[in-house]
Amino acid sequence: MPDTAALPHALPDTLPRMRSWLFAPGDSERKMAKAADGEADIVLLDLEDSVLPEAKPAAREAVAAFLASRTDSARLWVRINPLAGGETAADLEAIMAAAPGGLFLPKAEGSTDIATLDAMLTVLEERHGLAHGCTRVAALVTETPRAMFLCGDYAGDYPGSQRLVAMSWGAEDLSSALGARVQHRADGSYMPTYELARSLCLLGAVAAGVTPVETVMPDFRDLDRLRERALMVRSQGYRGMLAIHPAQVPVINAAFTPSDEEVAHARAVVRAFAENPGKGTVALDGAMVDIPHLKLARALLADAGLAE
């Protein structure tokens, strides 16, 4: 393995926050700049769905040039084309010299896809003088019927597993693959198949020890409903959400940022256990809390970037 201290793009000690992931079409320099100049924790420069096939070569050049022009590449990721589509190698050849902070892999189908991508990245990182493993990966894990059965396959030690830092899910491509005309109930909630996708993604991400990220809300004008949904999925264990419009980013960031009251309670839980060493259950504010509560409190403080 190369000496990462001597490389221009060494493996970062910490990852950027992962509350908001904002897509920007890779064939629009204006939209990429607007997204990157905003508040999104991670900007996803898109080479897949938002770019027509005939425009992909030019979009690759535009994304590479944009990455090379910025100093905040750790938060500038690229959604590449799926491995099965025949475009991935061209995507990577075009962008890797500019050292994106990470890659968003659509239509992932299990750990073998991560291993395949890892092999491609290892060659290109060495070619361009990048630290081995510095290119992180997030995977969209429910976009094909087969992928649904493999959401638990990302846990464990396999080639490329150290690159995987987040998993998300999607309804649109899955709906298309199923020939389904309806994704939502009358009240706006997802039909059972898509709720299953959301649950499998969450379970798979937690099993793999990576960040679970909620899918997009296409209606970018309804910010009140976006807030409700973001808070709902956060309460279930999701720690971030995809966005398709800059207006969604502040709402998502706020929803996935622990409130002052949550932080105060978490610190009180940690303090109660510190004051009662060796106890598995302690009293706090008239209720009993146990070790799972302590783990949740520590995780919340970590998400907030705060010490115990």
Side-chain angles (χ1 to χ4, degrees), residues 155-237:
D157 186 15
Y158 51 87
S161 60
Q162 79 286 351
R163 295 184 186 272
L164 186 67
V165 297
M167 289 165 52
S168 189
W169 70 284
E172 283 72 22
D173 284 283
L174 179 61
S175 175
S176 177
L178 296 174
R181 292 177 290 116
V182 179
Q183 295 179 13
H184 299 91
R185 297 183 175 94
D187 64 0
S189 63
Y190 276 107
M191 297 289 280
T193 300
Y194 309 102
E195 286 290 358
L196 176 62
R198 173 187 276 157
S199 297
L200 288 174
C201 174
L202 175 62
L203 292 167
V206 173
V210 303
T211 299
V213 180
E214 168 70 352
T215 192
V216 299
M217 181 170 160
D219 185 358
F220 61 85
R221 296 178 181 85
D222 194 344
L223 298 182
D224 289 337
R225 188 164 152 231
L226 172 66
R227 182 178 297 104
E228 292 176 4
R229 178 167 148 190
L231 290 170
M232 181 270 290
V233 297
R234 178 180 171 232
S235 73
Q236 295 178 358

